[in-house]
Amino acid sequence: MKMKQILAAIPAALVAAGLASAAPGTVLKGADIIDFEDGKVLRGQVVAIEDDKITYIGSERRLPDGEWTEIDLTGATLMPGLSDSHVHLTSGANVHGFRRLTRSTSRAAISGVVNAEITLLAGFTTVRNLGAPGFTDIDLKKAIDEGEVVGPRIIGAGQSIGITGGHCGDATLLPYEAQRRTGGRADGPWEVRQKVRENKKYGAQVIKFCGTGGVLSPNTSINAQQYSLEEMKAIVDEARLLDLKVAVHAHGPRGIQSAIEAGVDSVEHASMITDESIAQAVEQGTFLSMDIYVSDYILSEGEAAGILEESLAKERMVGRVQRERFQAAFEAGANMAFGSDAGVYPHGTNARQFSKMVEWGMSPMQAIYTATLSNAILFGLEDEIGSISVGKSADLIAVEGDPLRDTRELEDVDFVMKDGVVYLNEINQ
Ligand code: ARG
């Protein structure tokens, strides 16, 4: 309704004089819209897009005259573009273990270009890239924003920050005499502050650090805390000074607890989160970004993809626990994000996680909410993305089936629009 007034307010004289466009934009007709704000489905809607924004939503077509580009989505379900709060676009699912030693930063960047397009065409119009060699994710973001490369909106962390010998990059398989200091390595409160400043300087929009060991890093324990509380507080404090949010990688309970205490915005993995930490996360509004699908890939395809036995053993310990803790956290009312860790498993299959979330207690609506409005709030972009609303960016996807009945429909989307540009349309064709 609001939009009707705005559109009506464009004086016809301006249009006639060529000062306002007579070919205003795109109209999507006939789709059912899932409204995640109040959990309803609106049938047969008309959605208008001008430039990169949604400017009208209604059951009747009330738009000014002009040569609108019409797209018939009758019978399809239209949704906000999906987002993923944890991907690694420059990583490949078949490059694990020793194979990683063969990857140069530039080779990773080339993969990033390919994976960005795959990710967008899978319906993920926004991703947080939580860790990339060099600042390849930031350069990829720039190339996408400049229109040179096709891909999602990226919120990039640049280089993850981690302790000497920690999960974030530094624990290579190289012997001592061949060791390599990775870009994000920092020890002590002032060194970590410097890394936060450096990341900001080179374009990071979120800070990622590792607060425990990991599954895929040799010689790290998933239980062990990495960084003291003092160092974690320094990271978060410095990030706040620079207006950046903080995501922590953490599997074990102590690292998770300290990171929440330090005030991070999201805990990635959160595999062994205790009831006490869940309660504190609920109180503080900390988001939990629990990648509960990836375990299936690691345990079935991991060995062929180069994952070492040491890592497979860790995954066997943590996979099921993480799913149980996911259910506990969700039931306790924690803010749940959608983070998949795609890159460990194939890009473009991010959506496989939805059915896991449903298997472990969420309704399809709740699962999809995590990848739309919930993530948007975590990113601080809730005024721009995450729902189909007038004034928000025209990031929209559609599927021919009903994802509220079966979230697997989202594993093969049929229509993708980002910033008002259509990248895929297989509906009614
Ligand atoms: N990148 C993560 C790590 O190495 C992957 C963890 C995957 N496992 C899981 N259950 N979420 O720690």
Side-chain angles (χ1 to χ4, degrees):
M1 287 304 111
K2 207 164 111 201
M3 196 51 230
K4 214 183 87 193
Q5 288 157 13
I6 296 169
L7 285 176
I10 299 175
L14 277 184
V15 176
L19 295 173
S21 177
T26 306
V27 187
L28 308 178
K29 297 185 308 188
D32 298 337
I33 292 182
I34 303 181
D35 181 343
F36 293 94
E37 255 151 325
D38 39 13
K40 283 190 303 208
V41 179
L42 307 166
R43 303 279 166 204
Q45 297 291 296
V46 175
V47 177
I49 292 115
E50 289 169 84
D51 298 320
D52 57 346
K53 296 279 187 287
I54 298 167
T55 52
Y56 174 83
I57 305 162
S59 48
E60 281 167 52
R61 190 191 156 118
R62 292 201 186 126
L63 298 169
D65 292 342
E67 301 277 306
W68 293 84
T69 304
E70 310 237 345
I71 298 178
D72 181 14
L73 297 182
T74 304
T77 307
L78 186 68
M79 303 168 39
L82 301 169
S83 63
D84 192 327
S85 63
H86 192 137
V87 301
H88 300 278
L89 289 174
T90 55
S91 302
N94 56 356
V95 189
H96 288 288
F98 286 101
R99 296 180 196 173
R100 292 187 66 165
L101 298 179
T102 66
R103 294 285 270 200
S104 64
T105 300
S106 43
R107 180 68 187 82
I110 293 168
S111 291
V113 171
V114 175
N115 296 330
E117 179 163 354
I118 291 172
T119 300
L120 178 64
L121 295 181
F124 287 80
T125 50
T126 301
V127 299
R128 256 192 348 178
N129 201 79
L130 292 186
F135 286 87
T136 42
D137 56 341
I138 306 300
D139 286 331
L140 183 57
K141 175 195 169 56
K142 285 184 193 154
I144 292 168
D145 293 349
E146 288 164 15
E148 199 176 354
V149 167
V150 170
R153 196 183 292 286
I154 294 180
I155 300 157
Q159 312 197 87
S160 303
I161 301 173
I163 65 165
T164 297
H167 174 73
C168 278
D170 203 31
T172 72
L173 290 154
L174 297 170
Y176 178 73
E177 62 272 23
Q179 69 180 303
R180 191 170 62 94
R181 187 184 178 115
T182 50
R185 190 217 278 187
D187 298 289
W190 284 106
E191 250 183 54
V192 295
R193 281 183 188 269
Q194 191 194 16
K195 280 295 163 197
V196 173
R197 292 170 186 174
E198 191 173 270
N199 276 359
K200 170 72 180 168
K201 174 177 167 185
Y202 291 107
Q205 299 151 301
V206 59
I207 295 298
K208 154 88 179 287
F209 78 92
C210 281
T212 69
V215 171
L216 298 175
S217 48
N219 293 335
T220 72
S221 151
I222 43 180
N223 262 300
Q225 176 165 339
Q226 299 187 347
Y227 284 128
S228 64
L229 179 59
E230 185 191 8
E231 287 166 310
M232 291 187 186
K233 281 185 171 164
I235 292 172
V236 174
D237 183 60
E238 192 63 40
R240 293 284 178 262
L241 294 179
L242 300 176
D243 275 338
L244 292 169
K245 297 203 177 207
V246 181
V248 66
H249 154 109
H251 290 287
R254 283 182 296 132
I256 293 171
Q257 177 55 34
S258 294
I260 292 174
E261 230 170 287
V264 299
D265 298 281
S266 69
V267 181
E268 307 300 311
H269 314 298
S271 312
M272 292 180 260
I273 189 167
T274 62
D275 287 342
E276 295 70 41
S277 293
I278 290 174
Q280 193 169 345
V282 170
E283 204 185 301
Q284 293 177 197
T286 315
F287 280 80
L288 304 178
S289 168
M290 301 177 76
D291 52 340
I292 60 168
Y293 165 75
V294 66
S295 190
D296 282 6
Y297 177 82
I298 293 175
L299 294 179
S300 62
E301 316 288 329
E303 196 180 343
I307 296 181
L308 303 171
E309 177 47 38
E310 177 194 338
S311 292
L312 297 174
K314 286 194 264 188
E315 186 57 54
R316 280 180 218 113
M317 276 166 49
V318 83
R320 189 180 170 88
V321 177
Q322 186 188 31
R323 290 170 183 177
E324 288 164 4
R325 299 317 294 158
F326 167 87
Q327 187 156 35
F330 167 63
E331 281 171 3
N335 284 333
M336 305 303 278
F338 183 98
S340 71
D341 214 357
V344 171
Y345 74 101
H347 293 284
T349 63
N350 318 49
R352 288 190 185 169
Q353 185 165 279
F354 288 115
S355 55
K356 264 304 154 203
M357 294 168 121
V358 171
E359 193 184 320
W360 287 86
M362 285 183 171
S363 68
M365 181 75 96
Q366 287 161 337
I368 299 169
Y369 174 81
T370 66
T372 51
L373 207 49
S374 186
N375 270 357
I377 295 167
L378 167 61
F379 306 159
L381 293 179
E382 66 272 27
D383 293 335
E384 272 172 66
I385 58 168
S387 62
I388 303 181
S389 315
V390 168
K392 284 197 181 182
S393 294
D395 287 7
L396 299 163
I397 63 162
V399 289
E400 252 160 338
D402 178 4
L404 293 181
R405 270 219 332 234
D406 185 354
T407 53
R408 277 174 304 186
E409 298 287 353
L410 297 173
E411 293 174 21
D412 184 13
V413 303
D414 302 305
F415 174 86
V416 177
M417 171 184 270
K418 189 193 90 176
D419 279 332
V421 177
V422 177
Y423 289 91
L424 174 76
N425 185 12
E426 296 171 348
I427 293 175
N428 301 323
Q429 297 292 313

